[in-house]
């Protein structure tokens, strides 16, 4: 199907690393890649007003199909005019397919060739997700980029199981492609294959032949060591279509961001930034800082003096934020979330600049030396 | 003591009601009265960034001495450069004296002539508040307006007890006046006297003779019927010094705001707006709306279509906010808090305009007819 209002082009390839910058155009705007997508699971990036997201330079956010299907329901969001209008976010949105959540979050699940039967965590009721049903839900939600329904094999899983899951993912990808109707949405296929190099390469080839607008890389960062994930990427990425966006799903710690980009990834999403913020943990250029700790009680410096987020720029201090955490004040989550997201978006800005100036590996070494990736 | 950088003048008296508008100048800015002060108990107005407070037209906020003394401690706030700097709020701040909290919140308390011994709710440790100690704490916090340490009699209380508490409050007020040193802070005395008209009049006279910069009215809205509170105000207010600001402490529901103003009150504070917001209850021109209710599930209109707050202006709908409440998302508290505070600040703007145009009673009747006060 032709996608109206979409485009992707690679704008530069870093001579030092082979990493690429690009422009991904959607009906709600053009995204500079590589990009990091803040996660708005339940149609809100936790503790952030949409205008705060704009301010920190968020280009695109992710919302979770599984959660929104369960609550408030995709029909309600369709009736509200779609996700953009419902949550008041006018920039691009990507929805995942719920595949990962059906396997990892649902109270129980049963995989069949036709789809997955699962019980809701909210009310215990039985639901059945098929590729066609997921397309219907994602069309109702109305995101710009939608993901095909896939089966994400657990880690560890034996090769036979992983291969069967991958092949079903390919069949489901085809069914998604066949049933998806909205031309103002771009459908991404999802490469699976677990930790098996041959399967990863096979999955990339099969899906490339199906000619999706873009490609998710699923089933990584599911419990395996980071080095193994990087190894899988090194094997897989040369087989991914060069002229399509590559999205490493559910990955986004600072070290994974730059390591992913160096291996050819264009898009990332991760709940880490927002989740650790609510626990008082802040990302900084010198590593993570647990602002809850007593060591910050009398520390009247900003979270990160080099950061330009509202919290750092306006002089909210570590001592003040520690007080807010101890006093269980919502403002702690607001300020640290804003900071952690801005930190990650700024990192991506730095990465894009370094790619365009053919010095991404220099940046990697500099960030490593500073402790920013630890 | 002379207050540097302070002034209060009445600018107009409503011919219809006798209510007044005024200008209250402090070192951090001039406040148009009558005014409503959002409450920032623990050095943050819950769920609001300081810039959000500026946007909704907040002129002055209140912070609680008792809470800040317990956590993070007044010395820490002094070391951070005072409350304005600590919490990043550059407009006027008022601190209460902790008197009310020592009686209502502390784990236990014992009143002596010298002060009050109480046990901390946080750690069970014993503390002793005297008028001199409270002045020391409030000076360390560094608010623009500070309240004298008072004894707030419970409701109901017999006349003998209430009179003794009032007389102690007068002696403590004198001690506060004698020990307060910062000329960049204005000290308010607090009128007590419970529900006894003769005591209220006596308290007003005694404190007027002591010539405070302004006057709190304490011990109202402590459980008595609203009609009784209004009756007490009607008896008391003619005895309050006309050229000084009158602050009705801890009162601020929409009906109490306009009823208080009509009886001569210039300043209010209340946790209602922010507290009910976190439970999903929104103030509107047609009365309170519990947005958690299923009736709002498919309601895609704003909280209040006449409101100009970010939430109402930008099209966040009741249905969306209901979803956020059900999903326990922080954004629900952020949006409803913003709305409820703006609603109340806008009500005060409308009240000031009506006073200046000698039609406050007309506004009162109109708001009553609309259901805005119910």
């Amino acid at each position: 199907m032709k996608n109206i209002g979409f485009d992707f082009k690679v704008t530069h390839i870093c001579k030092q690393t082979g990493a690429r910058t690009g422009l991904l155009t959607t009906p709600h705007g053009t995204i500079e890649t590589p990009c990091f997508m803040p996660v708005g699971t339940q149609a809100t990036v936790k503790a952030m007003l949409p205008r705060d997201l704009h301010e920190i330079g968020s280009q695109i956010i992710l919302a979770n199909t599984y959660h929104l299907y369960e609550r408030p329901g995709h029909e309600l969001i369709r009736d509200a005019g779609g996700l953009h209008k419902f949550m008041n976010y006018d920039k691009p949105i990507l929805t995942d397919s719920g595949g990962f959540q059906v396997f990892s979050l649902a109270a129980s699940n049963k995989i069949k060739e036709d789809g997955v039967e699962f019980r809701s965590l909210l009310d215990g009721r039985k639901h059945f997700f098929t590729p066609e049903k997921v397309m219907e839900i994602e069309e109702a939600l109305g995101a710009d980029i939608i993901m095909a329904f896939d089966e994400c094999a657990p880690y560890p899983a034996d090769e036979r199981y992983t291969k069967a899951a991958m092949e079903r993912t390919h069949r489901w990808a085809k069914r998604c492609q066949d049933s998806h109707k909205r031309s103002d949405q771009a459908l991404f296929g999802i490469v699976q294959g677990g930790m098996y190099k041959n399967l990863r390469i096979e999955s990339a080839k099969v899906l490339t032949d199906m000619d999706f607008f873009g490609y998710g890389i699923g089933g990584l960062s599911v419990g395996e060591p980071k080095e193994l994930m990087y190894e899988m990427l090194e094997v897989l990425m040369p087989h991914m279509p060069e002229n399509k966006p590559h999205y490493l799903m559910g990955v986004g710690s600072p070290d994974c961001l730059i390591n992913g980009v160096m291996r050819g990834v264009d898009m990332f999403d991760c709940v880490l930034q927002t989740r650790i913020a609510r626990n008082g943990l802040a990302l900084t250029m010198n590593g993570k800082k647990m602002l809850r700790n007593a060591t910050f009680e009398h520390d009247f410096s900003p979270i990160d003096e080099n950061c330009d987020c509202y919290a750092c720029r306006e002089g909210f201090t570590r001592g003040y934020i520690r007080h807010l955490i101890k006093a269980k004040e919502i403002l702690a989550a607001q300020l640290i979330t804003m900071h952690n997201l801005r930190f990650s978006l700024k990192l991506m800005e730095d990465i894009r600049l370094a790619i365009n100036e053919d010095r991404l590996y220099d940046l990697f070494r500099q960030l490593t030396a500073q402790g920013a990736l630890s």
Side-chain angles (χ1 to χ4, degrees), chain A residues 117-186:
Chain A
E117 189 182 278
F118 63 95
R119 278 191 187 277
S120 161
L121 255 187
L122 288 185
D123 57 16
R125 278 190 291 188
K126 256 190 203 167
H127 298 273
F128 194 65
F129 268 12
T130 61
E132 293 77 15
K133 176 75 184 170
V134 167
M135 288 300 98
E136 181 197 321
I137 299 169
E138 291 198 82
E139 289 187 338
L141 296 176
D144 300 85
I145 298 174
I146 68 171
M147 305 303 293
F149 190 51
D150 63 327
E151 182 183 345
C152 177
Y155 176 81
D158 66 36
E159 186 168 351
R160 208 178 118 196
Y161 182 95
T162 306
K163 187 174 164 67
M166 178 196 77
E167 288 172 345
R168 192 161 26 237
T169 293
H170 297 163
R171 290 190 295 275
W172 287 357
K174 181 75 172 68
R175 284 168 58 191
C176 285
Q177 215 169 29
D178 290 346
S179 61
H180 179 237
K181 291 178 204 76
R182 284 183 66 160
S183 62
D184 62 345
Q185 293 185 311

Side-chain angles (χ1 to χ4, degrees), chain A residues 56-124:
Chain A
I56 60 170
S58 169
Q59 305 186 86
I60 171 171
I61 62 169
L62 175 145
N64 289 108
T65 290
Y66 173 84
H67 293 81
L68 294 175
Y69 165 79
E70 290 222 301
R71 182 174 56 200
H74 58 291
E75 295 98 339
L76 185 134
I77 291 178
R78 184 194 57 216
D79 294 349
L83 201 43
H84 291 90
K85 198 161 174 219
F86 183 60
M87 69 182 289
N88 251 292
Y89 187 76
D90 58 9
K91 291 197 179 177
I93 301 177
L94 179 150
T95 44
D96 66 0
S97 68
F100 181 76
Q101 283 74 22
V102 163
F103 296 104
S104 62
L105 288 185
S108 73
N109 64 64
K110 204 158 44 176
I111 305 163
K112 304 177 179 184
E113 177 55 27
D114 195 37
V116 182
E117 189 182 278
F118 63 95
R119 278 191 187 277
S120 161
L121 255 187
L122 288 185
D123 57 16

Side-chain angles (χ1 to χ4, degrees), chain A residues 31-39 56-62 250-253 257 266-274 283 340-349 352:
Chain A
I31 300 145
E32 294 182 57
T33 63
C35 71
F36 169 75
M37 301 184 280
V39 178
I56 60 170
S58 169
Q59 305 186 86
I60 171 171
I61 62 169
L62 175 145
V251 172
S253 61
L257 287 173
D266 305 303
M267 303 166 70
F268 302 85
D269 79 282
C270 196
V271 296
L272 175 97
Q273 284 74 0
T274 47
L283 301 172
N340 282 354
L341 287 176
R342 176 58 195 154
F343 178 88
S344 304
L345 293 167
K346 178 68 167 56
L347 177 61
M348 299 311 288
E349 290 172 11
R352 291 196 295 268

